[in-house]
Amino acid sequence: MKVSTRTDGAAVVVRVEVARLVYATLDSFVDQVGAYLEEDRPAVVFDLSPVNYLDSAAIGCLMDLYRRASAKQGRIALAGVLDRVERMLRMTGAHEFIPIYGSAEDAVRALAGSAGGNE
């Protein structure tokens, strides 16, 4: 799975570079982003702007990444989420745990400045 990463202040922005985040790609995805969650107090923004579909396994994976970050006193956020994907996240309640922001920059600012919250 193709992802690109960049550091923005204390946060790592991981841009998912595929249109479909699904079960078959999750092992590769977790392998690529797992190291960022091992740091103390990780702050990771997942830029999902290219993603137009995710399945229930991908939502479960995001929740697992949330738990891993929380265990290290860190936070994750989602950014650039398309309407269809946001509806799927809201139907499962994932948005109540993982905040969603319009852009990666908004998410980085929120992670740096507060305990989070949805926009």
Side-chain angles (χ1 to χ4, degrees):
M1 166 185 268
K2 184 165 169 51
V3 299
S4 60
T5 60
R6 65 182 169 85
T7 301
D8 188 339
V12 174
V13 178
V14 176
R15 181 178 166 93
V16 178
E17 302 283 356
V18 297
R20 296 173 57 86
L21 186 56
V22 295
Y23 176 78
T25 61
L26 295 179
D27 284 343
S28 174
F29 175 66
V30 171
D31 287 346
Q32 292 179 58
V33 303
Y36 300 117
L37 298 172
E38 296 306 314
E39 300 173 10
D40 286 336
R41 299 180 187 266
V44 181
V45 173
F46 293 103
D47 180 351
L48 301 182
S49 53
V51 178
N52 61 36
Y53 177 81
L54 51 86
D55 64 9
S56 60
I59 294 171
C61 178
L62 290 172
M63 291 302 299
D64 184 56
L65 295 172
Y66 161 80
R67 285 188 284 279
R68 287 175 61 181
S70 294
K72 295 277 191 171
Q73 306 300 312
R75 291 174 284 154
I76 69 169
L78 305 179
V81 177
L82 299 176
D83 289 342
R84 177 181 182 191
V85 172
E86 185 171 353
R87 280 193 303 274
M88 296 165 82
L89 292 164
R90 289 186 181 282
M91 285 183 354
T92 63
H95 71 290
E96 294 183 24
F97 299 93
I98 306 171
I100 300 170
Y101 297 92
S103 70
E105 292 76 18
D106 290 342
V108 167
R109 278 193 296 276
L111 291 182
S114 73
N118 293 3
E119 289 189 349

